[in-house]
Amino acid sequence: MSYTAEISRANPTCFVFLIDQSLSMSDPIGGAAVPMRKADAVAEAINGFLSELCVKCAKEDGVRDYFHVAVIGYGAEVGPAFRGGLAGRWLVPLSEVAAAPYRLEERVPVPVATMTAPGATGLAGGLSGQVAQAIAERPVRVPVWFEPTAFGDTPMRAALAGAHAIVREWLAVHPGCFPPIVLNITDGESTDGDPAPIASDIQELVSADGPVLLFNLHLSEDRSDPIAFPPEQFRLPDDFARKLFSMSSRLPEHMRAMARQQGLTLEQGARGFVFNADASSVVQFLDIGTQVLNVR
Amino acid sequence: MRARVSSLWLPRTGCGPAEYQDAFCPRVDGERSGPRLRFALADGATESLLSGRWADLLVRNYCRGPARQVAGVLDGAREIWNRQLLTYPQQREDAGRPIQWFEERGLARGAHATFLGVQLSSGRAGSRRGAWSAVAIGDTCLFHLREGRLLASFPIDEAGLFSSSPPLVSSRRNGAPDRTEAARGDWLKGDTFVMATDALARWFLQGAVAGRSPWSELASAVAAGPAPFAEWVHERRSLREMADDDVTAVTVDVL
């Protein structure tokens, strides 16, 4: 059965993010609580995702390298999008990602009072309650690796070619890994040629645990409802949407299960593709599309 | 009553003893006696920080603390944990390893572990029989064996019921009640109780369904001692019969 390989430091996997940084990414995104550019929403979602991944893989002795991560921007140029100490690096072990954010912003987390049910014993009352509250209300530092950028065209084909090279090289060294996942976030059509053939090349790469996964998300400024994880292309509005659909892998069963937990009912054959995504569907796309099992 | 306890454990592949996140109590093998004997095993969650230490605190608080109900044991452990956590940042500063940004959120979220506690109580004086009771949160399992037969499997009795997100005991009381399950029964002299964390427990139940006698195979592996036991686990892992996770087997023979 595919997509069941255990992920460990001895057998890590990788995520490759492709981020459209073309000029149109400076347009506002639909569905945001406060007005926001598409580039801002994506930067926030990617930084939030990386931060959460580091927290989940953190142990007393540091962040464990269950994952290696690449963030590739494509706009005026195609290349690694990390800033600061990681600038110029393509695929980076998660421990190094954690060690070198571009900057840390200090924020106060949600107060513990709002997270505690009335009448709960133990930490909710007495000295231990105060202690827990003191711990939970300590300011936390929020990392930023990736800044919003919106300039230039949409060289999606070159970005996919970059991802293909990274993943092929990775598989040569890690042939038994959980299949790498490539997530492409864009708001427009490719300006450097048809991306479908290279997308197909990516999907033909395999580890012993199954084919590489390629998922696509299309951002929109309009208010029409997102089409999330469709199983068929006839429901899609135009050729561009159908093209991205055809470039997207089917979601493995465990990702569909994760989607069900989030209240989505996905049909058999649902693709890792969201069309007309708003701000919240970017976060959901990353959540579902990076879901893995058996992290050890 | 008297019982003999022996525990064997092994971290997942590529991890050292310091990275092992199961915890059990008592830590020392050998014979125990008394009107009431307690044993506990917990499995620290992979995705939370300090979970091995939390698992250790839970099992020690159950076995060594006053004989309270499980809710009191868990809340008592939370009290101790949160007091310790107040000084933890300073300890890290003093050790020259200040807390990193990625630990702050993990510490605020709390540590998590499964928990299994087992109590054996004497019967009437001179009786060959007594009572056992067990409490569990999550998928750390108890197997009750008598004369080569599996009498009880708790809290999971089918290999298909293991999941990647079992119920866990959190070091933070966040309003949700602990998902505690309880079981009880009788023991006879000569009975064996095996406590196992999920990878081993799942292997055990898969073997039972397949009509093998996994308890015999496990008993031989345990009796052979730490090195042969480790070799036996490695072999199960390489044959993909057992998940590559921390493995702990606590065996209690009623004497």
Side-chain angles (χ1 to χ4, degrees), chain B residues 22 25 38 115 154 156 206 210:
Chain B
D22 290 353
C25 193
R38 279 189 163 195
F115 176 78
F154 168 77
I156 291 180
Q206 278 169 339

Side-chain angles (χ1 to χ4, degrees), chain A residues 15 17 19 41-42 44-50 183 185 217 229 280-291:
Chain A
F15 295 133
F17 297 93
I19 310 297
V42 171
E44 188 160 309
I46 294 287
N47 285 320
F49 170 80
L50 292 176
L183 299 105
I185 297 179
L217 177 133
F229 310 109
S280 63
S281 39
V282 177
V283 175
Q284 188 177 58
F285 173 76
L286 294 179
D287 242 19
I288 293 171
T290 56
Q291 195 59 215

Side-chain angles (χ1 to χ4, degrees), chain A residues 215-234:
Chain A
F215 300 143
N216 291 279
L217 177 133
H218 165 262
L219 291 163
S220 171
E221 58 247 55
D222 72 28
R223 291 183 177 277
S224 53
D225 286 340
I227 301 172
F229 310 109
E232 308 279 357
Q233 55 176 321
F234 68 81

Side-chain angles (χ1 to χ4, degrees), chain B residues 36-37 63 70 86 88 104 131 134 141 144 173 183 188 190 215 220:
Chain B
R36 175 185 68 84
L37 301 177
C63 292
V70 67
L86 272 189
Y88 183 67
E104 290 168 347
C141 289
H144 181 194
R173 182 60 119 159
L188 291 182
W215 40 90
S220 304

Side-chain angles (χ1 to χ4, degrees), chain A residues 128-146:
Chain A
S128 61
Q130 292 163 20
V131 169
Q133 186 144 343
I135 292 164
E137 288 182 356
R138 280 179 190 150
V140 294
R141 289 167 288 170
V142 177
V144 173
W145 292 270
F146 170 72

